[in-house]
Amino acid sequence: MKWSFVIQQKFKAAILLGGIMALIVGGTLISRYNVEGIDESFSSIYKDRLVPATTILYLTENLYRKRLSLENYLYSEAQQSPAHVRAQLRAHDRSIDSLIRLFEKTYLVDEEAKSLQGFKNQIGQYAKLEKQVLALCVAGSFAEAKQLFSAPGGNTFESTILNLNELAGIQSTIGKDLVKASKVNVASFGIISFLQISLAIITGLVVIVLIRNSQIVQKPRTNSNKSQYFNLN
Protein backbone atom coordinates (compact mmCIF):
# COMPACT_ATOMS: atom_id res chain seq x y z
CA MET A 1 0.00 0.00 0.00
CA LYS A 2 2.83 2.34 0.84
CA TRP A 3 4.54 1.67 -2.45
CA SER A 4 1.31 2.22 -4.38
CA PHE A 5 0.88 5.52 -2.56
CA VAL A 6 4.41 6.56 -3.48
CA ILE A 7 3.85 5.58 -7.11
CA GLN A 8 0.61 7.58 -7.24
CA GLN A 9 2.34 10.61 -5.75
CA LYS A 10 5.20 10.33 -8.22
CA PHE A 11 2.78 9.95 -11.11
CA LYS A 12 0.88 13.07 -10.06
CA ALA A 13 4.13 14.95 -9.59
CA ALA A 14 5.36 13.83 -13.02
CA ILE A 15 2.19 15.11 -14.65
CA LEU A 16 2.45 18.40 -12.76
CA LEU A 17 6.14 18.84 -13.56
CA GLY A 18 5.51 17.93 -17.20
CA GLY A 19 2.81 20.57 -17.43
CA ILE A 20 5.07 23.14 -15.80
CA MET A 21 7.90 22.29 -18.22
CA ALA A 22 5.51 22.63 -21.16
CA LEU A 23 4.42 26.04 -19.91
CA ILE A 24 8.02 27.15 -19.45
CA VAL A 25 8.96 26.00 -22.96
CA GLY A 26 5.89 27.73 -24.42
CA GLY A 27 6.70 30.92 -22.51
CA THR A 28 10.29 30.80 -23.77
CA LEU A 29 9.11 30.51 -27.38
CA ILE A 30 6.68 33.39 -26.92
CA SER A 31 9.43 35.48 -25.30
CA ARG A 32 11.70 34.76 -28.24
CA TYR A 33 8.95 35.86 -30.62
CA ASN A 34 8.48 39.08 -28.64
CA VAL A 35 12.22 39.81 -28.70
CA GLU A 36 12.27 39.29 -32.47
CA GLY A 37 9.27 41.63 -32.76
CA ILE A 38 11.07 44.30 -30.74
CA ASP A 39 14.17 43.93 -32.93
CA GLU A 40 12.10 44.22 -36.10
CA SER A 41 10.30 47.30 -34.78
CA PHE A 42 13.52 49.12 -33.96
CA SER A 43 15.09 48.09 -37.27
CA SER A 44 12.01 49.38 -39.09
CA ILE A 45 12.15 52.65 -37.15
CA TYR A 46 15.68 53.21 -38.46
CA LYS A 47 15.46 51.77 -41.98
CA ASP A 48 11.88 52.67 -42.92
CA ARG A 49 11.23 55.81 -40.83
CA LEU A 50 14.46 57.56 -39.84
CA VAL A 51 16.10 57.18 -43.26
CA PRO A 52 13.02 58.52 -45.13
CA ALA A 53 12.74 61.40 -42.65
CA THR A 54 16.37 62.34 -43.35
CA THR A 55 15.72 61.94 -47.08
CA ILE A 56 12.78 64.36 -46.85
CA LEU A 57 15.09 66.90 -45.22
CA TYR A 58 17.58 66.66 -48.11
CA LEU A 59 14.77 66.82 -50.67
CA THR A 60 13.49 70.02 -49.09
CA GLU A 61 17.00 71.50 -49.13
CA ASN A 62 17.46 70.73 -52.83
CA LEU A 63 14.09 72.24 -53.71
CA TYR A 64 14.89 75.49 -51.92
CA ARG A 65 18.32 75.63 -53.56
CA LYS A 66 16.69 75.24 -56.97
CA ARG A 67 14.26 78.01 -56.15
CA LEU A 68 17.01 80.31 -54.92
CA SER A 69 19.23 79.63 -57.94
CA LEU A 70 16.50 80.64 -60.37
CA GLU A 71 15.45 83.58 -58.21
CA ASN A 72 19.01 84.93 -58.08
CA TYR A 73 19.25 84.60 -61.83
CA LEU A 74 16.01 86.55 -62.36
CA TYR A 75 16.42 89.31 -59.78
CA SER A 76 20.17 89.68 -59.29
CA GLU A 77 21.96 92.58 -60.98
CA ALA A 78 24.96 90.40 -61.82
CA GLN A 79 23.41 88.33 -64.56
CA GLN A 80 24.61 84.75 -64.95
CA SER A 81 24.46 82.80 -68.17
CA PRO A 82 21.37 80.63 -68.70
CA ALA A 83 23.65 77.63 -69.30
CA HIS A 84 25.21 78.05 -65.85
CA VAL A 85 21.80 78.26 -64.17
CA ARG A 86 20.56 75.30 -66.17
CA ALA A 87 23.57 73.25 -65.02
CA GLN A 88 22.81 74.13 -61.38
CA LEU A 89 19.19 73.09 -61.76
CA ARG A 90 20.16 69.79 -63.43
CA ALA A 91 22.58 69.01 -60.60
CA HIS A 92 19.81 69.50 -58.06
CA ASP A 93 17.43 67.43 -60.20
CA ARG A 94 19.90 64.52 -60.21
CA SER A 95 20.27 64.77 -56.45
CA ILE A 96 16.48 64.79 -56.03
CA ASP A 97 16.10 61.74 -58.30
CA SER A 98 18.68 59.76 -56.32
CA LEU A 99 16.97 60.71 -53.05
CA ILE A 100 13.59 59.61 -54.39
CA ARG A 101 15.06 56.24 -55.44
CA LEU A 102 16.50 55.86 -51.93
CA PHE A 103 13.08 56.67 -50.48
CA GLU A 104 11.37 54.10 -52.72
CA LYS A 105 13.67 51.32 -51.45
CA THR A 106 12.16 51.62 -47.96
CA TYR A 107 8.90 50.00 -46.87
CA LEU A 108 6.00 52.24 -47.96
CA VAL A 109 2.44 52.05 -46.66
CA ASP A 110 -0.37 52.81 -49.13
CA GLU A 111 -0.86 56.38 -47.94
CA GLU A 112 2.88 56.99 -48.13
CA ALA A 113 3.16 55.56 -51.66
CA LYS A 114 0.32 57.81 -52.87
CA SER A 115 1.88 60.88 -51.29
CA LEU A 116 5.27 60.08 -52.81
CA GLN A 117 3.72 59.66 -56.25
CA GLY A 118 2.02 63.03 -55.86
CA PHE A 119 5.37 64.57 -54.91
CA LYS A 120 7.01 63.11 -58.03
CA ASN A 121 4.25 64.61 -60.17
CA GLN A 122 4.76 68.01 -58.52
CA ILE A 123 8.50 67.78 -59.12
CA GLY A 124 7.91 67.10 -62.80
CA GLN A 125 5.57 70.09 -63.13
CA TYR A 126 7.98 72.40 -61.36
CA ALA A 127 10.88 71.26 -63.59
CA LYS A 128 8.82 72.08 -66.70
CA LEU A 129 8.02 75.51 -65.27
CA GLU A 130 11.72 76.18 -64.69
CA LYS A 131 12.49 75.31 -68.29
CA GLN A 132 9.78 77.72 -69.46
CA VAL A 133 11.21 80.48 -67.26
CA LEU A 134 14.70 79.97 -68.70
CA ALA A 135 13.32 79.85 -72.24
CA LEU A 136 11.60 83.22 -71.70
CA CYS A 137 14.83 84.66 -70.31
CA VAL A 138 16.79 83.49 -73.35
CA ALA A 139 14.14 85.11 -75.55
CA GLY A 140 14.58 88.36 -73.62
CA SER A 141 11.14 88.30 -71.96
CA PHE A 142 12.35 88.80 -68.40
CA ALA A 143 9.08 90.37 -67.23
CA GLU A 144 7.06 87.36 -68.33
CA ALA A 145 9.67 85.04 -66.87
CA LYS A 146 9.45 86.78 -63.48
CA GLN A 147 5.66 86.65 -63.57
CA LEU A 148 5.69 82.93 -64.39
CA PHE A 149 8.26 82.29 -61.65
CA SER A 150 6.27 84.29 -59.09
CA ALA A 151 2.63 83.27 -59.51
CA PRO A 152 2.27 79.78 -61.02
CA GLY A 153 5.81 78.87 -59.97
CA GLY A 154 5.23 79.91 -56.37
CA ASN A 155 2.00 77.92 -56.15
CA THR A 156 3.61 74.79 -57.59
CA PHE A 157 6.60 75.13 -55.28
CA GLU A 158 4.33 75.54 -52.25
CA SER A 159 2.30 72.46 -53.23
CA THR A 160 5.53 70.47 -53.53
CA ILE A 161 6.67 71.52 -50.06
CA LEU A 162 3.25 70.67 -48.61
CA ASN A 163 3.55 67.24 -50.19
CA LEU A 164 6.86 66.73 -48.42
CA ASN A 165 5.34 67.87 -45.14
CA GLU A 166 2.60 65.30 -45.61
CA LEU A 167 5.23 62.58 -46.09
CA ALA A 168 7.01 63.73 -42.93
CA GLY A 169 3.74 63.55 -40.99
CA ILE A 170 3.19 59.97 -42.16
CA GLN A 171 6.69 59.04 -40.93
CA SER A 172 5.87 60.44 -37.50
CA THR A 173 2.54 58.60 -37.27
CA ILE A 174 3.92 55.23 -38.31
CA GLY A 175 6.94 55.69 -36.05
CA LYS A 176 4.61 56.20 -33.07
CA ASP A 177 2.72 53.02 -34.00
CA LEU A 178 5.98 51.06 -34.08
CA VAL A 179 6.97 52.41 -30.67
CA LYS A 180 3.57 51.37 -29.27
CA ALA A 181 4.02 47.87 -30.72
CA SER A 182 7.46 47.65 -29.13
CA LYS A 183 6.05 48.68 -25.75
CA VAL A 184 3.38 45.96 -26.02
CA ASN A 185 6.06 43.36 -26.79
CA VAL A 186 8.18 44.55 -23.87
CA ALA A 187 5.19 44.38 -21.50
CA SER A 188 4.32 40.89 -22.74
CA PHE A 189 7.94 39.81 -22.31
CA GLY A 190 7.89 41.10 -18.70
CA ILE A 191 4.69 39.21 -17.89
CA ILE A 192 5.98 35.97 -19.38
CA SER A 193 9.28 36.32 -17.49
CA PHE A 194 7.34 36.80 -14.24
CA LEU A 195 5.26 33.68 -14.98
CA GLN A 196 8.40 31.67 -15.73
CA ILE A 197 9.94 32.70 -12.42
CA SER A 198 6.68 31.75 -10.64
CA LEU A 199 6.67 28.36 -12.35
CA ALA A 200 10.26 27.79 -11.33
CA ILE A 201 9.32 28.52 -7.71
CA ILE A 202 6.34 26.16 -7.95
CA THR A 203 8.61 23.45 -9.36
CA GLY A 204 10.95 23.88 -6.40
CA LEU A 205 8.07 23.63 -3.96
CA VAL A 206 6.80 20.47 -5.66
CA VAL A 207 10.24 18.87 -5.34
CA ILE A 208 10.36 19.79 -1.64
CA VAL A 209 6.89 18.28 -1.07
CA LEU A 210 7.93 15.09 -2.84
CA ILE A 211 11.01 14.73 -0.69
CA ARG A 212 8.99 15.33 2.47
CA ASN A 213 6.29 12.83 1.49
CA SER A 214 8.96 10.26 0.79
CA GLN A 215 10.39 10.73 4.28
CA ILE A 216 6.93 10.48 5.87
CA VAL A 217 6.25 7.18 4.09
CA GLN A 218 9.55 5.68 5.22
CA LYS A 219 9.30 6.70 8.91
CA PRO A 220 6.46 4.30 9.92
CA ARG A 221 8.46 1.34 8.58
CA THR A 222 11.32 2.21 10.95
CA ASN A 223 8.97 2.61 13.91
CA SER A 224 7.30 -0.76 13.26
CA ASN A 225 10.65 -2.52 13.18
CA LYS A 226 11.58 -0.96 16.48
CA SER A 227 8.31 -2.13 18.09
CA GLN A 228 8.87 -5.68 16.86
CA TYR A 229 12.31 -5.80 18.36
CA PHE A 230 10.88 -4.46 21.63
CA ASN A 231 8.23 -7.23 21.76
CA LEU A 232 10.82 -9.92 21.13
CA ASN A 233 12.76 -8.72 24.11
Side-chain angles (χ1 to χ4, degrees):
M1 294 295 292
K2 294 176 181 179
W3 285 109
S4 63
F5 175 76
V6 172
I7 293 173
Q8 289 177 359
Q9 292 296 106
K10 288 184 177 180
F11 181 72
K12 292 178 181 179
I15 294 176
L16 179 61
L17 291 175
I20 292 174
M21 289 178 62
L23 290 174
I24 292 174
V25 172
T28 302
L29 294 175
I30 295 174
S31 297
R32 183 177 179 181
Y33 175 78
N34 288 335
V35 171
E36 291 177 353
I38 294 170
D39 180 67
E40 290 178 0
S41 295
F42 279 103
S43 297
S44 181
I45 288 173
Y46 172 75
K47 294 179 181 179
D48 300 324
R49 302 302 144 213
L50 183 58
V51 171
T54 307
T55 304
I56 290 172
L57 178 63
Y58 291 138
L59 285 170
T60 305
E61 179 183 2
N62 277 276
L63 284 173
Y64 274 104
R65 287 186 179 275
K66 286 182 68 178
R67 183 75 177 173
L68 288 174
S69 296
L70 195 54
E71 185 177 5
N72 289 334
Y73 172 70
L74 290 173
Y75 295 97
S76 177
E77 295 180 358
Q79 289 288 335
Q80 299 176 350
S81 65
H84 178 73
V85 178
R86 190 176 291 109
Q88 288 181 331
L89 297 178
R90 286 177 179 174
H92 289 301
D93 287 336
R94 287 192 296 270
S95 179
I96 290 172
D97 290 339
S98 63
L99 289 170
I100 290 176
R101 286 194 297 271
L102 179 63
F103 199 106
E104 289 175 334
K105 289 180 181 179
T106 62
Y107 173 75
L108 302 176
V109 298
D110 293 338
E111 184 181 1
E112 197 175 12
K114 292 178 181 179
S115 184
L116 182 61
Q117 184 59 45
F119 172 74
K120 291 167 68 175
N121 294 335
Q122 292 288 341
I123 285 292
Q125 293 179 8
Y126 191 71
K128 290 179 181 179
L129 187 141
E130 288 174 336
K131 291 180 180 179
Q132 294 174 1
V133 170
L134 287 174
L136 289 172
C137 291
V138 171
S141 303
F142 279 92
E144 294 181 13
K146 291 179 181 179
Q147 184 177 0
L148 181 62
F149 174 81
S150 178
N155 294 334
T156 304
F157 181 79
E158 184 178 356
S159 298
T160 305
I161 296 299
L162 289 175
N163 216 303
L164 280 178
N165 292 337
E166 181 181 350
L167 278 171
I170 295 172
Q171 303 305 313
S172 177
T173 301
I174 298 177
K176 290 178 181 178
D177 292 338
L178 289 173
V179 171
K180 289 180 181 178
S182 298
K183 288 182 178 180
V184 170
N185 287 330
V186 170
S188 177
F189 179 78
I191 294 172
I192 292 173
S193 298
F194 175 77
L195 291 176
Q196 287 177 328
I197 293 172
S198 301
L199 290 173
I201 294 173
I202 293 172
T203 303
L205 293 175
V206 169
V207 172
I208 292 173
V209 170
L210 286 175
I211 294 172
R212 189 170 181 180
N213 288 339
S214 177
Q215 292 175 348
I216 291 173
V217 170
Q218 291 176 359
K219 280 181 180 180
R221 180 180 300 176
T222 303
N223 292 334
S224 63
N225 290 336
K226 285 183 179 181
S227 63
Q228 289 176 2
Y229 291 141
F230 179 77
N231 292 330
L232 288 173
N233 291 332

